[in-house]
Amino acid sequence: MTYQADDGRYERQPYNRSGRSGLKLPAVSLGLWHNFGDTRPIENSRSILRRAFDLGVTHFDLANNYGVPYGSAETNFGRILSEDFTPYRDELIISTKAGYDMWPGPYGEWGSRKYVLASLDQSLRRMGLDYVDIFYSHRPDPQTPLEETMGALDRAVRSGKALYAGISNYSAEQTAQAARIMRELGTPLLIHQPSYSMINRWIEDGLLDAVEEAGMGCIVFSPLAQGLLTDRYLDGVPADSRAATSRFLSADRIDLDLARGLDEIARGRGQTLAQMALSWTLRDPRVTSVLIGASSVRQLEDNVACVDGPAFTEDELAAIDKITEGYTAR
């Protein structure tokens, strides 16, 4: 059946300006890291993407090596984009990244101009696009001058293959340096994408200040700490859970007392633990958007509903701080 977007899609969630730019992003964006590769049914991916857009999610976030095998998330997204979203392309923000390993040899990862620009060309071919809206340096390269990596981002924008440039996983100091270089080149950085959650607060130690000072937005990933901040583990570790099956999360990281304590606060707010964890990341006005993943339409709907939650009281924030004090997402 031909897809037709819901007429009320822009009434479902707020849109926040990314730093001092003219671009607004939905409060909740959809990341395609885990659930859109060839190991997942494409019709399930299609249903999630359709429902996300109907709920006002206009931003779809990818990277060159997302999916199993590498590149498959972009390929599958490109197919769905062509079949379902072509009439809506100008309503979408599509992002991708280059930085982690993608192909063999010395030019297949990190931050050289050779790799960054070749990766962007490959991503565009996989998705069937002339340009992406945001192109990121996925991580800093300790052996490549920052001027070279930023110069590649500047070239990507000036060539018309990307509308905006961003960085991900950069420290506060690296962010300030990168922002200065890009300003001098005439292509200011739009946004930074770091990890952030109630139990992973590293960006509060200078990075949010650096982002604000540079006039950048901030979009955070892993707000649910790979599922730790959901009701998935309130009664232990299910055999089919990510903690039992994924290399990104191990069972020894599960803290039942922490999860149950936070869940009690969430229920008092009329939210699930996941919804509260997402709302919590958005409490700081410097956070433009939060990235969620979704393996089903139901999970997507539950998580997007975080925007309907109440504002946090000082007592709630203090209680959350007390429960999470000393915990690190190790």
Side-chain angles (χ1 to χ4, degrees):
M1 180 181 293
T2 302
Y3 170 65
Q4 183 172 347
D6 191 305
D7 289 339
R9 58 190 177 277
Y10 292 116
E11 302 170 6
R12 307 292 172 76
Q13 65 170 305
Y15 296 85
N16 303 319
R17 193 171 302 280
S18 184
R20 291 195 292 266
S21 77
L23 185 69
K24 290 185 176 181
L25 296 178
V28 178
S29 299
L30 181 63
L32 279 67
W33 180 13
H34 287 297
N35 299 306
F36 292 83
D38 288 350
T39 57
R40 303 299 178 99
I42 193 166
E43 291 309 314
N44 187 59
S45 300
R46 187 191 308 275
S47 296
I48 293 170
L49 289 167
R50 286 180 170 186
R51 184 58 178 149
F53 190 51
D54 285 345
L55 291 173
V57 177
T58 55
H59 179 206
F60 299 137
D61 180 76
L62 298 106
N64 55 0
N65 65 349
Y66 283 2
V68 179
Y70 284 174
S72 58
E74 288 184 329
T75 299
N76 291 330
F77 175 76
R79 173 182 165 184
I80 297 169
L81 180 70
S82 174
E83 294 172 352
D84 288 5
F85 291 97
T86 296
Y88 307 104
R89 173 62 183 100
D90 290 338
E91 298 182 41
L92 300 177
I93 301 298
I94 300 169
S95 61
T96 194
K97 314 177 194 73
Y100 286 93
D101 63 300
M102 184 60 193
W103 61 83
Y107 320 120
E109 62 176 324
W110 292 108
S112 71
R113 185 180 183 92
K114 167 74 172 176
Y115 165 69
V116 169
L117 294 178
S119 177
L120 175 57
D121 285 341
Q122 290 184 17
S123 291
L124 292 175
R125 286 195 295 269
R126 280 190 291 269
M127 291 188 283
L129 292 172
D130 295 324
Y131 70 93
V132 290
D133 297 275
I134 307 171
F135 182 49
Y136 290 89
S137 168
H138 207 166
R139 61 173 171 172
D141 183 346
Q143 295 184 323
T144 297
L146 193 56
E147 289 81 0
E148 179 175 340
T149 304
M150 294 303 103
L153 293 183
D154 174 66
R155 176 58 183 166
V157 173
R158 291 183 184 278
S159 69
K161 295 178 181 180
L163 299 186
Y164 300 94
I167 54 176
S168 180
N169 298 304
Y170 280 56
S171 69
E173 181 180 0
Q174 291 165 333
T175 296
Q177 292 173 348
R180 174 185 56 78
I181 293 168
M182 292 295 279
R183 279 196 306 270
E184 292 173 354
L185 290 170
T187 305
L189 287 171
L190 172 80
I191 198 162
H192 189 298
Q193 186 178 135
S195 61
Y196 185 47
S197 72
M198 289 191 288
I199 56 175
N200 176 24
R201 303 191 184 190
W202 73 278
I203 70 173
E204 296 175 2
D205 188 21
L207 180 60
L208 282 172
D209 291 336
V211 165
E212 183 178 31
E213 183 175 344
M216 300 165 59
C218 181
I219 180 170
V220 299
F221 71 90
S222 293
L224 303 181
Q226 300 295 314
L228 290 176
L229 298 175
T230 71
D231 60 9
R232 185 73 162 142
Y233 302 105
L234 293 178
D235 298 314
V237 182
D240 62 345
S241 68
R242 184 173 294 177
T245 61
S246 172
R247 66 187 177 92
F248 294 105
L249 178 65
S250 58
D252 62 3
R253 285 180 53 191
I254 306 301
D255 187 323
L256 295 180
D257 290 337
L258 178 138
R260 290 167 180 167
L262 292 173
D263 182 65
E264 184 176 351
I265 298 173
R267 285 188 282 108
R269 290 170 46 82
Q271 291 183 299
T272 66
L273 174 52
Q275 288 168 347
M276 183 180 77
L278 295 170
S279 297
W280 183 90
T281 65
L282 290 166
R283 80 199 187 287
D284 190 315
R286 294 171 295 183
V287 175
T288 311
S289 182
V290 59
L291 275 168
I292 63 169
S295 59
S296 67
V297 169
R298 179 178 178 181
Q299 184 183 54
L300 171 82
E301 292 172 339
D302 288 345
N303 288 345
V304 171
C306 73
V307 299
D308 299 322
F312 285 93
T313 67
E314 291 299 322
D315 287 344
E316 288 170 341
L317 291 174
I320 290 169
D321 288 346
K322 182 176 181 179
I323 291 172
T324 59
E325 183 179 11
Y327 187 95
T328 57
R330 53 193 181 275

